[in-house]
Amino acid sequence: MTVGAGVGRPDPETFRIWLLLAGWEDVSRGPRGAMLRWGDELVAIPDRLAEDHRAAWDVAERVAETMGESRDFVWKRLSSPRSDRVQFRLVGENLPSGRLPLGAASDALKNARKLLSASGTSVKSPTRYIGRRYLPEAQLVAREAELAHTEDGSFIFPLYVSLGTTEEPLRYDGDVVFEPYERQVTRALSNALARSVAMLDGDVDRIPESDLDAASAVGVSRELCVAVDDLLRHELIEKVEVSFDWSAAYGAATGLTRSVTIPRESRSQYRRLANRLGKPAVQQTSVFSGSLLQIGHSSDEAEPAFFCVLDTYDESIRTELRISLTPDEHQRAIRWYDARATVVVQGQPVRSVSGLSMPKHDRIEAWVTEPLPPGGN
Amino acid sequence: MSNRYPVLPTNKAISRLGVAYVRKVCAHAHVGFTEESADEDHLAVDGAIRTRGASTPVQIKATTTKSIKKVAGTFKVDVDPDWVEKWRQNINPTYLILVLLAKKSSSWVVYDPTATTVPGFAIWERVDTLAEGTTSLTMDRAQRFTPLTINDWTEILQAGYGPVSA
């Protein structure tokens, strides 16, 4: 029974939510804890799991066997549930099994770090071109992300980003939990990669400036594109797959991207996209992105007004932006809220004593790649 | 029947036979058994029966007695207070299994032409619910460890996690 050093205290409740998200079903609950089911398999999750290391390890072993996951990964989910896993998989037919040329490996690590720094900068100061203006807090997240043992298969290296280490999560109305900055960074990375891949579908030179601005709001920056291009530099790497395993500590992250694959052929397009982002046009409107904190409507029956509140940044300061919605947008926003999707809004903000608001917007959309529940996006 | 080139000392051989006995019952019950390696016996548990839903930790004690056929009623087993403390910390039901074997090592297992017999038996007692400071345990000759016991234990275990159908 050997477990790595530096593991946290098992947290059965967050682990249970993670299992439910992964496809397990609740069966029953008794005085000792909860019973979950996956097909014919049962696993008991004791409430006092943290007090019995042996029982905790037994749970991890059973879950790993049932799901076909590695025991270490499941143990990590059980013992430090407040972390997101970002896993890079480098694929190439001619790559030697289980090995990687050192040049490609060091490029991969360097660029993984750059991707986190760029995404973290875009969270607070969305921009098309970062230059040397990386935010120190973003660089800190990139520096503190933990590289775990490489996994079997092509060449796979997992990074764990611990959540809530730089600031304590705050509560909003005792209900919604503010995501910590580190989650915003991993969220931005997943969004930016997915968004950038989607942008390459058409002709990169014809993408409207306003779309580039909107993309920059979810983290697509020149630096991110350069890092992706560089990640694929070694000729043996045919594609890179970045997958995300989201901590369940901040609610059901069903609206977040799970996996993005970038083929080697996209390199030249990434370079063109980087070039276009590097020559920013004058921005006409402001773009904000973040997750929804609240959805509501005013109690005035004569004039029903719908709104949502976005957890975002205004000139690098964390802000709540109140956005007015049409009834139709309000319906969609409810689903975005439930899925914890990233929402992007473009328009002219109004600053007043009661805070930042946007009575009119040019567009509002959620960036989701996973299918939403029926009637989604 | 004995091996002229023994490797294990007698007490170690008895303890191996005790574990083998429990393993055999588990296999008969279609349930797995995981053994702790000897040096990791820090929780006073020798292994875990892989019962449905969660494992059931067990401590196995094996001993020999001169007249195995005459053992009746109840008898006392000394337990280490440190073990008791550790058993009490287990969050799932935990049991002590006592395996009683014949005194003479040549009679531990009887190899008949068509049957391999262990002249002995195993009994059990639940130990995670013992009072603090317990130093001895009264075990009941009638409480035998068989595949049916594993059924009962599974039901007791699962009851802690609510009503489970099937």
Side-chain angles (χ1 to χ4, degrees), chain B residues 66-83:
Chain B
K66 256 185 197 139
S67 44
I68 196 105
K69 285 180 184 158
K70 290 182 190 156
V71 177
T74 59
F75 53 93
K76 261 174 131 179
V77 179
D78 289 336
V79 290
D80 188 331
D82 288 351
W83 288 4

Side-chain angles (χ1 to χ4, degrees), chain A residues 214-362:
Chain A
S216 72
V218 293
V220 181
S221 61
R222 177 183 170 277
E223 284 64 25
L224 180 111
C225 295
V226 170
V228 170
D229 171 42
D230 206 30
L231 198 54
L232 289 157
R233 189 161 60 144
H234 199 284
E235 64 271 16
L236 289 181
I237 299 172
E238 284 157 24
K239 62 179 177 184
V240 59
E241 184 187 295
V242 187
S243 57
F244 297 83
D245 184 78
W246 303 103
S247 163
Y250 299 92
T254 53
L256 299 183
T257 301
R258 295 267 177 96
S259 171
V260 183
T261 302
I262 305 159
R264 184 172 183 77
E265 302 87 82
S266 305
R267 285 190 70 203
S268 60
Q269 280 169 295
Y270 265 100
R271 282 196 292 267
R272 273 155 63 205
L273 189 55
N275 271 337
R276 287 208 55 197
L277 289 163
K279 296 177 197 130
V282 179
Q283 208 164 311
Q284 298 300 315
T285 53
S286 303
V287 187
F288 297 89
S289 79
S291 56
L292 293 180
L293 287 174
Q294 195 191 351
I295 299 176
H297 54 88
S298 68
S299 50
D300 186 354
E301 281 184 26
E303 195 188 350
F306 298 99
F307 68 92
C308 63
V309 177
L310 190 69
D311 179 17
T312 189
Y313 286 86
D314 180 33
E315 287 163 3
S316 297
I317 294 166
R318 198 158 183 174
T319 308
E320 290 168 26
L321 172 66
R322 190 183 160 110
I323 305 159
S324 303
L325 300 173
T326 65
D328 178 51
E329 287 167 342
H330 176 254
Q331 284 304 314
R332 279 153 61 206
I334 291 171
R335 288 189 287 272
W336 299 340
Y337 175 87
D338 289 339
R340 300 199 73 84
T342 305
V343 173
V344 182
V345 64
Q346 202 162 9
Q348 207 53 255
V350 177
R351 288 174 179 81
S352 73
V353 281
S354 60
L356 195 66
S357 64
M358 193 179 282
K360 277 189 180 141
H361 52 259
D362 301 334

